[in-house]
């Protein structure tokens, strides 16, 4: 019997960023809670919790910028609306510009960003 491999959620992290630290803490909590199984007890109604299916995932935290392919996947997800690329890569005006700017300056990538770049939905 083969087990389904877990989705890998990548957090592009910056340790000096309070927002990034909060995102990492939240994702760790979600991951831990997703792997717990709720126990039924007669004094507690689990109806509401059972409505939400929790999907287990593996959390990958990296301070490296995304690869060009990962960046394209992220940009496809956020869309190509006005200023969207610039929200992910500082100063970028398009997907192609974002890829170029990221290659020129990896610190232009705006963290935190998390993504399931291996299995985007």
């Amino acid at each position: 019997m083969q087990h389904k491999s877990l989705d890998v959620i990548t957090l592009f992290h910056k340790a000096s960023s309070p927002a990034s630290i909060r995102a990492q803490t939240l994702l760790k909590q979600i991951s831990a809670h997703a792997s717990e199984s709720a126990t039924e007890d007669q004094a507690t109604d689990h109806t509401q919790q059972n409505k939400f299916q929790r999907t287990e995932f593996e959390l990958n935290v990296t301070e490296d910028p995304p690869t060009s392919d990962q960046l394209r996947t992220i940009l496809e997800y956020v869309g190509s609306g006005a200023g969207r690329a610039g929200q992910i890569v500082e100063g970028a005006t398009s997907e192609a510009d974002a890829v170029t700017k990221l290659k020129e300056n990896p610190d232009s990538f705006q963290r935190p960003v998390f993504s399931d770049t291996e299995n985007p939905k």
Side-chain angles (χ1 to χ4, degrees):
M1 179 175 160
Q2 288 186 341
H3 294 295
K4 179 183 177 248
S5 62
L6 298 178
D7 286 346
V8 177
I9 304 297
T10 300
L11 171 62
F12 297 98
H13 179 61
K14 185 172 186 174
S16 62
S17 164
S20 192
I21 292 167
R22 285 191 303 272
Q24 181 181 21
T25 300
L26 180 62
L27 286 169
K28 283 182 177 180
Q29 289 172 347
I30 292 169
S31 177
H33 289 288
S35 63
E36 293 175 354
S37 23
T39 58
E40 293 289 332
D41 97 26
Q42 294 177 346
T44 307
D45 180 6
H46 291 276
T47 307
Q48 189 61 33
Q49 291 94 331
N50 291 338
K51 288 182 182 179
F52 302 103
Q53 180 182 4
R54 295 180 177 151
T55 303
E56 290 183 61
F57 60 91
E58 179 181 331
L59 180 59
N60 173 39
V61 179
T62 182
E63 291 197 34
D64 294 334
T67 65
S68 295
D69 286 341
Q70 289 173 323
L71 178 60
R72 284 186 186 93
T73 299
I74 292 166
L75 292 171
E76 286 173 15
Y77 182 78
V78 298
S80 58
R84 297 288 175 117
Q87 291 175 343
I88 303 299
V89 177
E90 188 175 359
T93 57
S94 67
E95 179 181 313
D97 190 36
V99 171
T100 301
K101 287 188 182 309
L102 182 64
K103 285 180 182 173
E104 292 171 356
N105 179 11
D107 289 333
S108 64
F109 184 70
Q110 301 297 296
R111 294 169 181 89
V113 171
F114 60 93
S115 176
D116 182 354
T117 54
E118 294 177 15
N119 186 25
K121 296 176 174 93

